Amino acid sequence: MAGIRMENKIYEVGMYCRLSKDDGTDNESASIATQKSILTDYVKKQGWHLAKTYVDDGYSGTNFQRPSFQNMIKDIESGLINCVITKDLSRLGRNYLDCGLYLEVFFPEHNVRYIAVNDGVDTLNKSAMDITPFRNILNEMYSADVSVKIKSAYRARFQQGKFMGTTAPYGYVKDPADHNHLLIDDKVAHVVREIFDLALAGNGIAKIRKHINKQHILRPAAYAAEQGATGYERYFEENEENRYIWSENSVRGILRSPIYAGNLAGYKRIAANMKSKKRPSKLPEEWEVIPDTHEGIVTQEEFDTVQQLITSRRLPENKGGFENIFAGVIKCADCGYAMRAMSANRRKRPDIIDCVQYSCNNYGRYGNIMCTAHSIEARDLFNAVLTDINRFADMAVNDEKAVRAIEKRLTETDQSKAKALEKEQRKLNKRLAELDRLFSSLYEDKVMERITERNFEMMSGKYQKEQLEIEARLKEVTETLSDSYEKTQGVRDFLSLIRNYQGIKELDATIINALIDKILVSEREKLTDGMVRQKIKIYYKFIGFVGELHITPTKRWTALKPKNCTVCGVEYVPRSGISKYCPACAKKIQREKSNESKRRSRERNRQACIELSAKNDRLRMDRWWILDEDNKQDCI
């Protein structure tokens, strides 16, 4: 066997070289070529045999799952090498726990000698090994420091609104003049637009996916591969048709991403620390978002509406085929649960909306121990909402005086409150400026020895406490004022929006989702005059709740059109779709049918009695004949 005997030991050397991006590309002293040169010279001078060279170029020292390093471990386990050398200890790795495991456990167990040439580390030199753990800790501290610096640089660029991804998201391309800026990709932007339009129309993710798949459109991964991105072809190797099969996750990812509203989203998955490779996903509301970094494919209002629809777990159509345009919007006023659309199969109506009523889902699940039904006819809800929308639309277009009255009513309280808050804000800012001057004066008195150290600490502590309290209150006041200003602007935005819906005759999910945040339905209440009334609260976009609607619930049978009685010809409103008679004739016919039924019943009973009597007579005759025959036998 080739090799030089040293201390009665023959060494087959494995030479290991590593370079990561963190080490820099301009550092010649750490380059792979430099490491090979140093280690080769060292092996030659020792007269040892170089069994194999292992190189990991572009791999971090904090991770030991490197291809060549793992190959070296396998060769050690198979006995091919019994000595490992590196340029320095950091080339082996920068995780002090794993480095210590290899140096103090794995290498000794496999009779492998380890040498770090520049650091003077040699596992045969016990005194040099005493300081080795501290070297490993310093190497890991270096990695941790580099990691913090890189993360800080990335975060700074992210907060500047720079896109840091390798490839642009579906629907966008990188700006040729600035790769950290996104431009709309006109080739597929219409697909993204269509997905959002379908969602705004009340369609669920599964339904949108089926619609897109029918159009035979390249899925995002396939489109990225077509544009030259690498790493996607493995999804289509077995079945080429997979290029056109969208998944629900692809649709959901587009609908959830703030990118399409013109905002940069990041830090969706963050590792706990440098050593952990697990990156748990965060909820969309926990993502960090930088607004207005590029042109959006959809508006912010459309994006926000879609998020609301997704989180409300909508059911846009029930089993009876009724299109539930209020899904995700209508709620129980008492328990807050969603209200379900229920088909009443016993009703026979020409329009399906007249066969449906809404009822509290909480009541439907658990009964009256949790809530009450809060039932409302779908037709009543539809008519009430349509009328209210038209009322506001007409007002916004034709009645400027009423518009100003509503604006004043909605913002009057906020404006008076805002004035008081603005006054308090000025007062707080003035006091903060005074405290700054007091601190400056107090420090000057301390330097000039006009006051003692003890008095300085006491006074500065008092001022600092007051300063913190003022800053906290000032932040609260500022946020409240901001909300007040937004509400004032919201009234104008709402009136500008609702003008577009003047004179509408029908409602659909798109209109409902564009104008309304939620609808609260109260339980029916019976008034002293015997009438039944039901309250509805509509919370509009931008302005919230304006005023209650009071409706008289429709009796279920009044939804049908009048018809003529087939007996007397009088016009009446039927209670069911199969009704043929007016109430008066119906009672008369019912009475006649009842009398006829009773007559038939009596006739059936009389006939049964006759048949029973005849049967008894036959039985008696049969019995007499048998007795008579017995008497004849006795006489013989």
Side-chain angles (χ1 to χ4, degrees):
M1 181 180 291
I4 302 297
R5 185 179 302 276
M6 181 178 179
E7 297 179 357
N8 300 321
K9 184 80 173 181
I10 297 176
Y11 288 102
E12 295 292 329
V13 178
M15 191 170 69
Y16 181 74
C17 306
R18 181 190 65 79
L19 185 69
S20 74
K21 295 178 181 179
D22 295 346
D23 296 308
T25 57
D26 57 346
N27 190 353
E28 284 298 323
S29 63
S31 70
I32 296 296
T34 302
Q35 292 179 55
K36 284 183 178 179
S37 175
I38 292 172
L39 297 180
T40 302
D41 290 344
Y42 184 84
V43 172
K44 286 181 180 179
K45 288 179 182 178
Q46 300 297 325
W48 295 338
H49 175 242
L50 181 59
K52 195 172 181 180
T53 300
Y54 305 89
V55 177
D56 280 319
D57 195 359
Y59 289 88
S60 171
T62 60
N63 179 15
F64 279 82
Q65 299 303 314
R66 312 170 217 139
S68 290
F69 184 84
Q70 292 301 319
N71 290 336
M72 183 178 72
I73 296 301
K74 291 177 182 177
D75 290 343
I76 290 174
E77 291 173 339
S78 61
L80 294 179
I81 59 176
N82 56 12
C83 181
V84 174
I85 64 171
T86 61
K87 173 178 168 287
D88 53 51
L89 197 58
S90 65
R91 297 306 97 195
L92 183 69
R94 292 189 183 275
N95 185 320
Y96 82 92
L97 292 176
D98 288 339
C99 277
L101 183 66
Y102 282 107
L103 292 177
E104 298 178 19
V105 180
F106 183 81
F107 289 159
E109 284 182 352
H110 291 80
N111 296 317
V112 172
R113 182 180 180 184
Y114 171 75
I115 299 172
V117 177
N118 287 357
D119 289 338
V121 174
D122 188 342
T123 51
L124 292 184
N125 186 344
K126 300 300 180 183
S127 60
M129 289 300 295
D130 290 341
I131 200 173
T132 299
F134 298 100
R135 291 182 182 273
N136 285 330
I137 292 174
L138 291 173
N139 287 332
E140 182 172 307
M141 288 176 65
Y142 171 81
S143 288
D145 182 57
V146 170
S147 175
V148 169
K149 290 177 180 176
I150 291 175
K151 287 179 180 177
S152 297
Y154 272 105
R155 181 173 286 277
R157 300 186 74 185
F158 169 77
Q159 291 175 343
Q160 293 170 6
K162 296 182 181 294
F163 178 75
M164 305 299 295
T166 306
T167 57
Y170 185 77
Y172 285 96
V173 294
K174 289 189 174 184
D175 188 344
D178 180 6
H179 284 192
N180 298 123
H181 182 251
L182 296 175
L183 298 176
I184 293 178
D185 185 355
D186 295 328
K187 295 180 182 177
V188 293
H190 68 279
V191 180
V192 176
R193 176 75 252 181
E194 184 175 10
I195 289 173
F196 274 92
D197 286 343
L198 289 168
L200 288 168
N203 296 287
I205 290 174
K207 201 168 184 179
I208 295 172
R209 171 182 174 268
K210 289 179 182 178
H211 179 83
I212 296 297
N213 283 339
K214 286 179 182 177
Q215 299 184 47
H216 209 63
I217 297 172
L218 281 173
R219 59 191 278 193
Y223 181 75
E226 191 179 74
Q227 300 303 307
T230 59
Y232 295 104
E233 286 298 331
R234 65 182 186 274
Y235 297 118
F236 322 115
E237 290 175 353
E238 297 180 359
N239 187 357
E240 191 69 16
E241 190 61 24
N242 283 345
R243 293 180 182 274
Y244 302 94
I245 299 178
W246 286 60
S247 67
E248 290 190 8
N249 282 337
S250 296
V251 176
R252 185 181 292 105
I254 289 174
L255 292 175
R256 279 294 195 185
S257 177
I259 285 282
Y260 299 103
N263 309 318
L264 193 64
Y267 297 92
K268 303 175 184 179
R269 301 174 62 196
I270 301 178
N273 52 54
M274 180 186 70
K275 296 181 182 180
S276 174
K277 302 304 174 186
K278 293 183 178 180
R279 295 167 51 127
S281 298
K282 288 185 173 184
L283 294 173
E285 52 268 25
E286 296 175 336
W287 297 348
E288 294 187 30
V289 178
I290 307 298
D292 303 324
T293 57
H294 55 274
E295 184 182 358
I297 297 176
V298 299
T299 66
Q300 185 65 48
E301 291 76 18
E302 290 172 328
F303 179 79
D304 292 339
T305 300
V306 168
Q307 304 318 298
Q308 180 185 353
L309 297 179
I310 291 175
T311 54
S312 64
R313 296 190 296 180
R314 312 178 77 252
L315 293 175
E317 189 174 291
N318 69 2
K319 293 179 181 178
F322 170 67
E323 186 181 358
N324 187 5
I325 62 174
F326 297 106
V329 175
I330 181 170
K331 310 284 184 183
C332 173
D334 292 322
C335 69
Y337 269 58
M339 296 187 70
R340 62 170 73 168
M342 303 175 63
S343 296
N345 296 324
R346 65 186 179 278
R347 304 184 205 166
K348 295 183 179 179
R349 302 287 190 271
D351 295 328
I352 192 169
I353 190 173
D354 296 314
C355 301
V356 176
Q357 68 176 6
Y358 287 94
S359 182
C360 175
N361 204 19
N362 199 15
Y363 169 79
R365 286 184 179 182
Y366 307 110
N368 56 14
I369 61 170
M370 299 299 293
C371 196
T372 54
H374 290 70
S375 298
I376 184 171
E377 296 291 314
R379 173 72 71 181
D380 287 345
L381 180 65
F382 182 94
N383 290 340
V385 174
L386 179 62
T387 301
D388 206 51
I389 289 175
N390 274 317
R391 179 170 67 92
F392 279 112
D394 290 339
M395 185 189 302
V397 174
N398 302 320
D399 196 343
E400 189 66 29
K401 185 177 180 181
V403 167
R404 286 197 297 271
I406 286 182
E407 185 173 358
K408 182 180 180 181
R409 179 160 59 89
L410 290 175
T411 60
E412 187 173 19
T413 303
D414 289 331
Q415 286 176 351
S416 59
K417 185 178 178 181
K419 289 180 181 178
L421 289 174
E422 287 173 352
K423 184 177 180 181
E424 184 181 359
Q425 187 182 44
R426 290 192 295 270
K427 186 177 179 182
L428 291 172
N429 283 324
K430 183 178 179 181
R431 179 56 181 167
L432 274 179
E434 289 177 358
L435 287 173
D436 287 339
R437 289 194 296 272
L438 287 171
F439 266 120
S440 177
S441 176
L442 188 65
Y443 182 75
E444 184 179 344
D445 288 343
K446 175 181 176 293
V447 172
M448 299 300 294
E449 296 183 351
R450 297 192 188 106
I451 60 172
T452 63
E453 184 73 24
R454 177 177 174 277
N455 289 339
F456 173 78
E457 295 292 339
M458 181 182 67
M459 294 300 294
S460 62
K462 177 184 174 182
Y463 291 152
Q464 190 170 17
K465 181 182 178 182
E466 184 183 358
Q467 194 176 44
L468 292 173
E469 290 174 351
I470 289 175
E471 287 175 348
R473 176 57 184 165
L474 192 59
K475 182 180 179 182
E476 184 180 340
V477 168
T478 304
E479 291 175 352
T480 306
L481 282 172
S482 178
D483 293 340
S484 175
Y485 299 148
E486 286 179 6
K487 190 168 184 179
T488 303
Q489 182 61 40
V491 175
R492 301 190 186 99
D493 292 340
F494 170 73
L495 294 171
S496 175
L497 174 64
I498 204 167
R499 285 189 181 97
N500 302 321
Y501 298 94
Q502 185 188 24
I504 58 172
K505 298 289 191 297
E506 292 293 331
L507 293 177
D508 56 33
T510 303
I511 296 174
I512 296 299
N513 297 328
L515 292 175
I516 297 173
D517 276 327
K518 63 181 178 180
I519 300 173
L520 300 184
V521 177
S522 300
E523 185 58 274
R524 298 181 182 189
E525 55 181 338
K526 193 170 184 179
L527 304 178
T528 54
D529 58 1
M531 295 293 291
V532 177
R533 188 178 71 169
Q534 194 165 20
K535 289 189 293 187
I536 301 173
K537 290 183 178 180
I538 301 177
Y539 288 77
Y540 286 100
K541 301 279 187 181
F542 304 115
I543 61 173
F545 172 63
V546 179
E548 292 178 347
L549 301 178
H550 295 89
I551 66 166
T552 301
T554 303
K555 294 181 180 179
R556 294 174 181 174
W557 52 270
T558 61
L560 291 177
K561 296 178 181 179
K563 62 190 331 186
N564 294 323
C565 175
T566 57
V567 175
C568 66
V570 173
E571 187 178 72
Y572 73 102
V573 178
R575 298 193 178 200
S576 73
I578 60 174
S579 174
K580 298 178 181 179
Y581 316 110
C582 67
C585 291
K587 286 181 181 180
K588 182 178 177 181
I589 291 171
Q590 186 180 11
R591 187 165 53 250
E592 291 174 355
K593 287 182 177 180
S594 177
N595 292 337
E596 178 65 20
S597 177
K598 289 177 182 178
R599 187 191 64 78
R600 289 177 181 175
S601 179
R602 286 195 299 269
E603 180 63 27
R604 283 195 302 270
N605 292 337
R606 189 180 68 82
Q607 191 64 33
C609 287
I610 293 171
E611 291 176 357
L612 182 60
S613 178
K615 184 178 180 181
N616 289 337
D617 290 344
R618 286 195 302 272
L619 288 173
R620 282 196 297 271
M621 288 297 294
D622 290 343
R623 185 178 180 187
W624 176 84
W625 185 84
I626 293 170
L627 291 173
D628 189 56
E629 287 294 318
D630 290 343
N631 290 334
K632 288 180 181 179
Q633 289 291 335
D634 292 341
C635 291
I636 294 171

